[in-house]
Amino acid sequence: MKLRMLLAAKLVVIVVAMASLGPSKAQLEPCETSCGNVSIEFPFGLREGCYHSPDFRVTCDQSSGQPIPLFRDSNVVITNMSTIQESELEIKAFVASDCYNATGPAENTISSLNLSDFRISSKNVFVAIGCDTGARIRGRREKGYWDSTGCITTCGSNNSSDIPSASCSGVGCCQVAIPKGMSSFQILLQSYNNHRNMLDFNPCSYGFMVAPGKYNFSTNDLRDFGSVEKMPMLLEWAIGTEICEEARKNSSSNFLCNGNSECVEEYGGPGYRCRCKDGYQGNPYIHNNCTNINECERGVCKHDCVDNDGGYECRCPKGFSGGDKKDGTGCIPDKLLVTQIVLGTFAAAVFLLIFVAWLYLGLKKRKLIMLKEKFFRQNGGIMLQQRISGEGSSHHDQAKVFTVEELQRATNNYDETRIIGKGGYGTVYKGVLSDKRTVAIKKSKLVDQTESQIEQFVNEVVILSQINHRNVVKLIGCCLETEIPLLVYEFISNGTLSDHIHNESRSLAFTWDIRLKIATGTAGALSYLHSAASVPIIHRDIKPTNILVDDDYVAKIADFGASKLIPMDQTELATMVQGTLGYLDPEYLQTNQLTDKSDVYSFGVLLVELLSGKKALSFDRPENERNLAMYFLSSLKEGRVFEVVSEHLLLNEGIIPSEIINVSRLAERCLHVKGDERPTMKEVAMELEGILASMIEKHPWVQTTSNEEESEYFLKHVPIDHDFEFTDGAKASSSTFDSMSSDTIITNC
C-alpha cells in the first residue's frame, strides 16, 4: 500500500514538472499547425492547450471554403506567422476612403484597429493617396497617450499623366513613419476642395497602414484604388506584461525562455521575448526546440571543421598550426626554413617599402589636389565664379573662401553638440574662427548632387554676397573643397522670431514695442531687397522661422536658398511655385508668376502672427480658424479683430488700440488676393516706421535704435506680472502632422 502511494506521488510530481515546462514538442504534435496556407506556431494555437494564453488564440474560419486564419475571434485576417523569431505577425487592415461626386461628398469608409496586448509595428508606414487630400492617423500608446501624424498630398495638375509613378513624395501620394508602441489607431481623411476639377481621374482620397515593401504607388491608383479593401501590415507581440528579469523571478514555472533559448534583454517591454542562442535554431518558445546548427555543413572553415554544441572550431591540417579558429585561415607550416625566408622577405620588404612610400606621398598629394578640384566643380565653384564676375561684384562684396581645415577646427570637427539648427536645405553649426569671431556654419544636405541643389547653393552665395543691410544676416564666406558645400554667416544668438512668438514663456516678455520694431526692421530689409539692391531680389519664403533675432531684438532675414534675382527690365518671373503653406501668395500659387508682391503677402501673414501669437496654419484649431490669414480677414471684416489679437498684448499697460487697428489694416492690405491691390514693401516699411515713430512720441520710454544700449535696457527689463497666465486658445500638440502641415514646401510645375 505504501509502495503504491509512493509511486502515485512520484507520478504527480512528474506531471506537474512537465506542465511547468510549457508545451513540449510531444504535446504540440496533436495540435493543428496550419490554417489554409498559413503556418501556426506556438505560442499561437487554434484550440485550448495549443496556445500559451487566450491572447495568442487563432480562429480558423472554414466558411469561405478556403480556410482563413483570424486573429482571436475578430475579423482580422492573418496572412503570415513565419517570423516567430522576430515576434511579428502580418495581418490585413482596412483601407480608409473619402469619396466625392459632382454634388459633394458621396461615401467614405473608416479604418481603425484597437488592440489590448499586441502593438502595431513601427516598421509600417502610413500612406495617403489623392490629389486633394489631408490625411492624419491618430494612435494610442502606453498609459493612454495619443500621438498624431500625417501628410498632405496634391497633384498640381488636372492631368494624371503629369504625375510620376513609383514616387510617394507628396504628388498624388505621400507617406510618413508612425510612432513606436501604438496599440490602436484611427485614420482621418479630408478634402480641401471636394476633389473638384479632378473627379474624372481622382474622385476619392485613400489612407492606410502598410508593411514595408508591400506597396508601390501607381498613377492608376488615383482612379482605381477603391477596389482594394485591405492592405498588409505588421503587428509585434511579446509574452505577458513583465520584462525578462521580472518574468524570470515572478513566474519561473511559466517562463518560456528555457534551455538553449534566451530572453531578449534589449527589448524593453511590455512583456518579454525569446530567441535561440547563437549556434542554435528552432522555435525559442517551445522547451528544448532550439537545436544545434551544424556550421560545418555550410563550409565555414578553409580546412578541417569540428562542430560543437552551439558552435564550431576550425583546425589547421596535419603539419600546420596557428590560424584563425573562425575560418581556418592563417595556418603556417610547423617547420620552416626561417633564416632564408626572413632574409629574403626582409630584403624584398625594404625595397618595396621605399618604393611604396615614394609612390604614396606623390599620389597622395596629387589625389588631394584633384579631390579638392572635383568638389569645387561639383559644388558649383565654376558657376559661382561666372555668376559673380557676370554680375560685376566688387572685391569688397566677395565673401571669404575658407579651407576645409579652418572650418573643421572652428566646429571641433562638426561635433553634434555644436548643432544649433536644422532646415530644409541643411544643418547649421556654431563655430569659432581663429580670429575669435563666433559664426554660424551651414552644411547643405547631401541627398543627391542635382543641378537644382547646386543652383540653390550658388544662388544663396551670390545673393548674400551683394547685400549689406543691418536687417539681413551677413554672409562671411564659404567653402567649396568638401563633398558637402558650406556657408559661413554671422552668428545670431537669440533664436528665431518663431521661438519668441510661439514659445509661451518667451512670448510673455515679447512686448508690443519689440514686435513693432521687428516688423519695421523686416519690412525695411524687404524694401531694400525689392528696390534698393543692385538687382531686385524676391525672398520667396518669408516666415518667422527664417527671421533671426539678435540680443538687441534686431530682426535679421535669413535662408535665401529659395530666393530669385529679378532682371531690372522685368516685374514678374515665371517659375515653379515654392514656399510654405500658410504663407504662399494665392495669386502666385495659381499663375506661377512670381512678383515682389508675393513677399508682401507673406509679410502680411507675418504681421498677423505678431498680432495674434498663433501659427499661420494649424489643424488643431477649429476649421474656420485653421488658416490664420483667412480667419483674421473675416474677423476684421466683422469688426472682431481684437478676438484675434494675442490676449497678453491687450492686457499690456500703455498699449493704444489704435496702433493695433493701424497695423491690422496694413496687414489687411498686404493680404489682398490680387497682387496689384497690395502695397509695395517700401510703402509698408514707411507706414510701419510712422506707427513706430508715433508710438515713441506717445511713449517716451520707447527708444529708437540711435541709442542701442538704453534701448537694450528697456527691452530686456520689461516688467512681467508673475500672476498672469496666458493661453492662445490653441490646443498644444507636438504631432508630426501639425509640423508638416505648417512647414510643407510646395513645388508646382
Side-chain angles (χ1 to χ4, degrees):
M1 185 68 178
K2 291 182 178 179
L3 179 60
R4 290 179 179 176
M5 292 177 65
L6 181 61
L7 290 174
K10 288 184 176 179
L11 181 59
V12 170
V13 171
I14 292 172
V15 171
V16 171
M18 292 179 64
S20 67
L21 294 175
S24 65
K25 192 172 183 179
Q27 288 174 312
L28 287 178
E29 286 180 352
C31 296
E32 295 88 343
T33 59
S34 66
C35 177
N37 59 356
V38 177
S39 298
I40 311 297
E41 296 188 55
F42 188 80
F44 295 90
L46 293 170
R47 60 181 176 82
E48 188 173 357
C50 296
Y51 48 74
H52 173 67
S53 70
D55 292 333
F56 295 90
R57 182 177 65 249
V58 177
T59 302
C60 191
D61 182 17
Q62 305 283 349
S63 61
S64 63
Q66 175 68 31
I68 300 175
L70 302 177
F71 185 52
R72 299 180 187 171
D73 293 326
S74 69
N75 61 349
V76 178
V77 178
I78 300 173
T79 55
N80 193 348
M81 298 182 65
S82 61
T83 55
I84 293 294
Q85 286 271 22
E86 298 182 15
S87 301
E88 291 179 344
L89 176 71
E90 185 179 280
I91 66 170
K92 288 279 190 177
F94 281 98
V95 175
S97 65
D98 183 28
C99 295
Y100 296 81
N101 55 31
T103 61
E107 61 177 341
N108 63 74
T109 58
I110 299 174
S111 176
S112 62
L113 183 63
N114 192 4
L115 306 171
S116 57
D117 298 314
F118 285 34
R119 299 291 180 268
I120 298 164
S121 174
S122 59
K123 294 180 182 178
N124 297 302
V125 293
F126 175 55
V127 176
I129 302 174
C131 288
D132 181 23
T133 301
R136 181 170 59 166
I137 180 169
R138 298 179 69 245
R140 188 183 67 226
R141 299 200 295 171
E142 293 86 356
K143 301 180 181 180
Y145 296 142
W146 285 83
D147 274 339
S148 177
T149 186
C151 60
I152 296 175
T153 174
T154 60
C155 290
S157 172
N158 293 335
N159 190 346
S160 60
S161 62
D162 295 335
I163 303 170
S165 290
S167 174
C168 200
S169 58
V171 180
C173 174
C174 66
Q175 65 181 36
V176 292
I178 64 170
K180 292 184 178 180
M182 290 200 309
S183 59
S184 67
F185 71 83
Q186 181 182 23
I187 295 175
L188 306 173
L189 298 175
Q190 71 176 93
S191 169
Y192 299 106
N193 201 26
N194 294 351
H195 287 258
R196 194 172 292 121
N197 302 326
M198 56 185 70
L199 291 173
D200 57 335
F201 75 92
N202 180 230
C204 299
S205 299
Y206 303 98
F208 50 87
M209 193 94 74
V210 65
K214 295 291 186 177
Y215 174 71
N216 290 317
F217 171 66
S218 170
T219 53
N220 294 330
D221 294 342
L222 294 172
R223 180 185 296 105
D224 302 327
F225 198 75
S227 60
V228 181
E229 295 182 355
K230 297 180 180 181
M231 292 294 286
M233 63 171 287
L234 295 179
L235 301 182
E236 56 184 29
W237 50 269
I239 305 296
T241 60
E242 299 174 319
I243 60 176
C244 292
E245 184 177 356
E246 296 170 348
R248 193 181 288 113
K249 289 181 180 179
N250 300 337
S251 56
S252 58
S253 60
N254 294 322
F255 190 60
L256 298 184
C257 305
N258 296 302
N260 294 324
S261 171
E262 62 183 1
C263 198
V264 183
E265 298 290 347
E266 56 267 27
Y267 174 66
Y272 68 89
R273 295 173 178 173
C274 303
R275 66 184 172 198
C276 292
K277 295 179 180 178
D278 290 342
Y280 296 89
Q281 63 184 0
N283 189 330
Y285 297 94
I286 301 177
H287 185 66
N288 288 334
N289 190 259
C290 290
T291 57
N292 177 60
I293 300 172
N294 189 344
E295 291 88 354
C296 293
E297 294 178 352
R298 302 178 180 179
V300 294
C301 295
K302 185 177 181 180
H303 303 295
D304 297 335
C305 180
V306 178
D307 183 62
N308 300 324
D309 191 24
Y312 65 96
E313 181 182 354
C314 294
R315 295 179 179 177
C316 294
K318 188 176 181 179
F320 290 78
S321 60
D324 189 337
K325 299 295 183 182
K326 285 296 181 182
D327 59 11
T329 59
C331 296
I332 59 174
D334 292 333
K335 296 180 180 179
L336 291 175
L337 299 176
V338 180
T339 304
Q340 292 89 333
I341 293 178
V342 169
L343 289 176
T345 303
F346 179 75
V350 170
F351 174 79
L352 184 62
L353 183 63
I354 294 173
F355 175 76
V356 169
W358 174 80
L359 187 63
Y360 172 77
L361 292 175
L363 290 177
K364 183 179 180 181
K365 185 176 181 181
R366 178 176 175 80
K367 183 178 180 180
L368 184 60
I369 295 172
M370 293 178 64
L371 188 61
K372 288 184 177 181
E373 291 177 352
K374 173 188 173 183
F375 288 149
F376 183 82
R377 292 191 301 270
Q378 179 177 295
N379 292 331
I382 297 175
M383 186 188 304
L384 179 60
Q385 288 178 335
Q386 291 173 345
R387 291 281 297 274
I388 292 176
S389 60
E391 293 168 11
S393 297
S394 66
H395 180 74
H396 177 73
D397 292 332
Q398 294 179 4
K400 177 180 178 181
V401 178
F402 292 91
T403 64
V404 176
E405 294 76 18
E406 284 180 302
L407 298 189
Q408 285 178 338
R409 287 193 299 269
T411 58
N412 195 18
N413 201 22
Y414 302 103
D415 191 281
E416 288 191 1
T417 60
R418 297 294 188 94
I419 295 177
I420 57 176
K422 292 186 178 181
Y425 295 113
T427 303
V428 181
Y429 295 83
K430 180 180 180 181
V432 180
L433 300 178
S434 57
D435 59 4
K436 305 302 180 183
R437 281 186 297 170
T438 302
V439 294
I441 300 171
K442 179 179 177 182
K443 178 185 286 188
S444 299
K445 286 184 178 179
L446 182 62
V447 179
D448 53 8
Q449 288 294 341
T450 63
E451 185 175 344
S452 174
Q453 189 176 18
I454 293 172
E455 185 176 356
Q456 287 168 348
F457 170 73
V458 172
N459 196 40
E460 192 164 357
V461 175
V462 172
I463 291 173
L464 290 180
S465 66
Q466 296 176 352
I467 297 174
N468 186 17
H469 193 279
R470 73 186 305 270
N471 294 111
V472 178
V473 67
K474 179 64 177 176
L475 176 69
I476 297 175
C478 63
C479 177
L480 304 175
E481 296 179 351
T482 58
E483 187 174 7
I484 302 174
L486 305 168
L487 287 173
V488 182
Y489 302 97
E490 63 174 320
F491 179 72
I492 310 299
S493 60
N494 205 10
T496 68
L497 179 57
S498 179
D499 298 333
H500 292 274
I501 298 176
H502 303 303
N503 183 295
E504 184 172 343
S505 61
R506 285 191 173 190
S507 66
L508 292 175
F510 206 52
T511 57
W512 172 241
D513 54 331
I514 295 176
R515 297 179 188 227
L516 191 55
K517 174 184 175 181
I518 287 177
T520 304
T522 304
L526 287 174
S527 173
Y528 169 82
L529 295 176
H530 290 178
S531 57
S534 56
V535 178
I537 299 165
I538 299 177
H539 188 279
R540 210 164 45 150
D541 198 16
I542 292 296
K543 57 185 177 180
T545 53
N546 285 342
I547 307 295
L548 304 180
V549 180
D550 69 8
D551 291 334
D552 295 323
Y553 291 98
V554 174
K556 301 274 189 177
I557 298 180
D559 202 341
F560 284 77
S563 301
K564 283 291 183 181
L565 298 174
I566 307 298
M568 296 297 292
D569 57 346
Q570 294 186 20
T571 58
E572 59 184 29
L573 184 68
T575 178
M576 290 191 303
V577 175
Q578 187 169 342
T580 304
L581 282 178
Y583 302 90
L584 267 174
D585 173 12
E587 187 176 58
Y588 173 38
L589 188 62
Q590 291 293 325
T591 65
N592 287 22
Q593 297 297 320
L594 178 67
T595 70
D596 56 357
K597 297 299 182 68
S598 300
D599 279 351
V600 175
Y601 185 89
S602 301
F603 182 78
V605 180
L606 181 71
L607 278 181
V608 179
E609 280 197 68
L610 285 168
L611 285 167
S612 66
K614 303 180 188 298
K615 292 184 178 180
L617 190 67
S618 174
F619 287 87
D620 276 344
R621 298 197 292 260
E623 185 172 357
N624 66 322
E625 299 180 17
R626 288 177 181 173
N627 187 303
L628 181 60
M630 297 298 101
Y631 176 54
F632 167 78
L633 290 175
S634 64
S635 300
L636 191 64
K637 183 178 180 181
E638 297 169 7
R640 299 182 294 104
V641 68
F642 285 98
E643 294 181 12
V644 182
V645 176
S646 175
E647 183 178 343
H648 83 271
L649 280 183
L650 296 176
L651 296 176
N652 192 3
E653 293 184 4
I655 192 168
I656 300 176
S658 61
E659 295 173 358
I660 297 289
I661 294 174
N662 289 338
V663 175
S664 298
R665 290 300 182 187
L666 178 60
E668 178 190 27
R669 290 161 54 204
C670 292
L671 294 175
H672 277 305
V673 174
K674 294 183 178 180
D676 291 340
E677 297 177 1
R678 301 172 200 153
T680 65
M681 280 311 308
K682 186 174 183 180
E683 293 170 339
V684 173
M686 291 176 64
E687 188 162 340
L688 285 173
E689 287 170 2
I691 296 173
L692 182 61
S694 176
M695 183 181 68
I696 293 171
E697 182 179 349
K698 295 175 183 177
H699 306 294
W701 57 86
V702 178
Q703 301 296 313
T704 64
T705 56
S706 61
N707 191 339
E708 290 295 339
E709 294 182 358
E710 193 171 354
S711 174
E712 180 181 359
Y713 175 86
F714 281 106
L715 291 176
K716 291 186 176 180
H717 294 79
V718 178
I720 300 175
D721 184 357
H722 294 286
D723 295 328
F724 178 76
E725 181 177 356
F726 168 73
T727 173
D728 64 359
K731 179 181 177 183
S733 173
S734 59
S735 70
T736 307
F737 179 71
D738 291 337
S739 175
M740 291 182 64
S741 297
S742 62
D743 290 324
T744 302
I745 300 298
I746 297 291
T747 301
N748 180 16
C749 295

